[in-house]
Amino acid sequence: MVGGERRIADAHLRMRVAADYERRPLQKAAATTSEAPQWGLRFVFHFLMNSIETNISKKLAELGVADAAGLAPLFAEVHARFDAEATVATDEGSWKLFRDAWLGRKAGVLTLITDNWLKPASPELKRVVGAALNELRGHVEAKIEERRVAIEVGAENAAARDSVDLSLPGVVRPIGSRHLVRQVFQEIEDIFVSIGFSVVEGPEIETPYYNFEALNIPEHHPVRDDMDTFYLELPKGAGSPLLLRTHTSPVQIRTMEKTQPPVRVIVPGKVYRRDNPDATHSFAFHQIEGLAVDSDITFCDFTGTIEYFVTQFFGVGVKTRFRPSYFPFTEPSVEFDVSCPFCGGSGTAAGGGTCAKCKGAGWIELFGAGMVDPAVYGFVNYDAKKVSGFAFGIGIDRLAMLKYGIDDIQVFFQNDVRFLRQFP
Ligand code: DAH
């Protein structure tokens, strides 16, 4: 390329970079230029100077300026240019270019102003130019120093952010503990495991067959009303309806289907019913199911097992009693009560007055149980003539509330650490 063409091409390039720069908001320009290679920045600074260059490379007389009034807009433009450029200097490299463009001894803007505006000026004008130039120099030097400090601090902060002080103590995170309901499960599991039961689990989503029918609760049986509950919305054409299990009893069936007698299992788990939440009701709660089936299990084995459990759980001295009850899957069915462990069965609180726990009755209703109804064996292909057994279903939340003096079942589900922390 010959000299003339090259100059034209250079000028085009400069104009393009400059035009870009002009169109962008300043901050954006700064962000862009800080990523751009250094030569890009050179163009930007160069251009900025160029636009005032026409002025600062001419003498005041040539510009037709003869007094302070004519001088003011010239200095104002230089000021404005400087302030615009200052935001472009965002790292050490661009700051150096910026500094040299303005303070460079040979061709910095201030040198050019000194050479072209100040020196040749008439003595009267010289004073005004000198004053304006001093003011400009003060501004330029202060601002350039300010940018340098800002860039340095920014770099230091970035370095501090990236460095790790290994001598600092670690972050201590509080260690959680088992939920009280889980603790009570564990306590009951330990008691039953110690007398030969094993722990099994079953699904929380059940079919009506396991939740009802196989437990001898046919479709229109009135006990279903109590358990009328959460059915899942299934796509059209799906097989069996599904519901959230209303009790852990379906796992009796699932266990007997898989295992031949002898069976001795307990089943901890969550169950669901359509209940309005209040201090003693929740639509989700916990049960432990128990099932023992063998060739010669009697009602005595049943009461003996329950009594053992109750004394282990509440302490020696607590008496048990059972009252007739009804469940479709047990025959006979009973309701187990314990003598109130808090007032010793007297119904009177230690300081006098009625015992708040048993409300003066001396007995507390604990759970439902019974001898497995022979009809149930029919559903799992056990020979009802050869086997017998007992089953029970313990409500864990109620038991935990009773044992630990909790008066609102809702606290089990609220995950309030102030409550949870009391049971580490
Ligand atoms: N499934 C019963 C309920 O949730 C509790 C129950 C009663 C379970 C008697 C049993 C039982 O295993 O024999 O109300």
Side-chain angles (χ1 to χ4, degrees):
M1 213 190 277
V2 278
E5 285 173 49
R6 189 194 185 103
R7 238 181 288 132
I8 292 166
D10 265 354
H12 270 297
L13 188 55
R14 247 188 261 159
M15 275 164 59
R16 274 229 312 279
V17 174
D20 263 8
Y21 180 77
E22 291 281 67
R23 250 183 267 119
R24 279 180 207 146
L26 280 173
Q27 269 176 356
K28 263 211 184 136
T32 321
T33 49
S34 71
E35 290 155 15
Q38 294 289 304
W39 62 263
L41 277 169
R42 245 179 252 278
F43 273 123
V44 171
F45 289 124
H46 199 76
F47 165 75
L48 289 173
M49 283 199 304
N50 267 4
S51 75
I52 53 170
E53 194 178 80
T54 1
N55 289 342
I56 61 177
S57 60
K58 286 182 180 155
K59 300 190 173 50
L60 292 176
E62 288 175 74
L63 295 167
V65 173
D67 54 14
L71 207 56
L74 286 183
F75 272 98
E77 193 199 354
V78 177
H79 249 280
R81 278 294 169 189
F82 174 77
D83 288 343
E85 269 188 43
T87 62
V88 180
T90 50
D91 58 21
E92 203 188 330
S94 57
W95 175 83
K96 277 187 176 151
L97 288 172
F98 171 55
R99 179 198 58 191
D100 294 346
W102 286 85
L103 296 176
R105 284 248 175 94
K106 270 197 193 151
V109 175
L110 295 189
T111 303
L112 290 177
I113 292 179
T114 310
D115 291 347
N116 297 327
W117 292 358
L118 183 71
K119 285 181 181 165
S122 63
E124 316 85 70
L125 203 52
K126 215 174 219 163
R127 277 201 1 261
V128 192
V129 178
L133 182 58
N134 276 344
E135 195 272 330
L136 176 66
R137 184 181 296 281
H139 178 67
V140 166
E141 285 176 351
K143 192 83 182 178
I144 283 179
E145 176 60 9
E146 187 187 294
R147 292 303 302 165
R148 188 190 63 75
V149 173
I151 289 164
E152 202 173 278
V153 170
E156 270 169 18
N157 285 349
R161 241 181 284 124
D162 295 343
S163 69
V164 178
D165 182 351
L166 294 175
S167 68
L168 288 173
V171 178
V172 182
R173 296 185 197 285
I175 296 173
S177 57
R178 289 208 175 104
H179 193 283
L180 182 60
V181 167
R182 187 60 241 161
Q183 291 181 33
V184 173
F185 267 140
Q186 190 68 54
E187 227 177 303
I188 299 175
E189 286 167 24
D190 288 348
I191 296 169
F192 281 102
V193 165
S194 77
I195 51 172
F197 282 73
S198 41
V199 181
V200 297
E201 289 186 341
E204 285 177 28
I205 295 176
E206 266 300 4
T207 59
Y209 175 78
Y210 284 109
N211 199 75
F212 298 123
E213 273 108 77
L215 286 162
N216 203 26
I217 312 174
E219 185 155 4
H220 298 292
H221 198 291
V223 298
R224 281 207 192 191
D225 292 352
D226 263 0
M227 300 197 183
D228 196 11
T229 183
F230 303 113
Y231 280 84
L232 274 65
E233 261 179 36
L234 297 176
K236 271 209 182 85
S240 164
L242 294 173
L243 73 155
L244 298 184
R245 68 180 176 195
T246 59
H247 49 181
T248 41
S249 305
V251 190
Q252 289 190 29
I253 306 299
R254 290 183 175 277
T255 306
M256 288 190 280
E257 273 181 350
K258 275 187 262 169
T259 329
Q260 285 304 306
V263 168
R264 280 183 192 80
V265 291
I266 50 167
V267 187
K270 217 182 253 170
V271 302
Y272 304 85
R273 283 184 205 178
R274 186 191 51 77
D275 250 333
N276 292 323
D278 63 20
T280 51
H281 293 87
S282 163
F283 50 81
F285 56 102
H286 304 84
Q287 290 187 332
I288 279 197
E289 190 78 13
L291 174 71
V293 182
D294 206 341
S295 48
D296 50 6
I297 289 189
T298 65
F299 199 86
C300 275
D301 297 318
F302 168 43
T303 53
T305 306
I306 298 301
E307 260 164 34
Y308 175 77
F309 160 68
V310 167
T311 47
Q312 289 295 306
F313 189 78
F314 285 109
V316 208
V318 172
K319 293 193 288 281
T320 54
R321 77 173 183 191
F322 52 86
R323 293 170 289 114
S325 185
Y326 172 76
F327 300 101
F329 40 92
T330 44
E331 183 62 35
S333 301
V334 300
E335 202 76 50
F336 253 98
D337 298 345
V338 282
S339 60
C340 177
F342 305 96
C343 64
S346 67
T348 310
T354 315
C355 171
K357 294 288 166 57
C358 63
K359 306 205 169 63
W363 291 93
I364 290 175
E365 209 180 291
L366 260 199
F367 55 86
M371 299 302 287
V372 177
D373 191 309
V376 172
Y377 295 131
F379 287 96
V380 295
N381 293 325
Y382 277 13
D383 185 345
K385 291 201 188 74
K386 291 196 180 139
V387 295
S388 59
F390 62 84
F392 55 88
I394 309 175
I396 299 305
D397 310 75
R398 226 174 84 74
L399 213 60
M401 288 167 74
L402 202 63
K403 185 160 177 179
Y404 294 96
I406 296 159
D407 52 15
D408 186 354
I409 192 174
Q410 301 303 329
V411 294
F412 288 144
F413 304 98
Q414 287 162 345
N415 269 344
D416 186 331
V417 286
R418 289 168 303 180
F419 168 73
L420 299 176
R421 248 191 235 126
Q422 296 174 50
F423 306 96

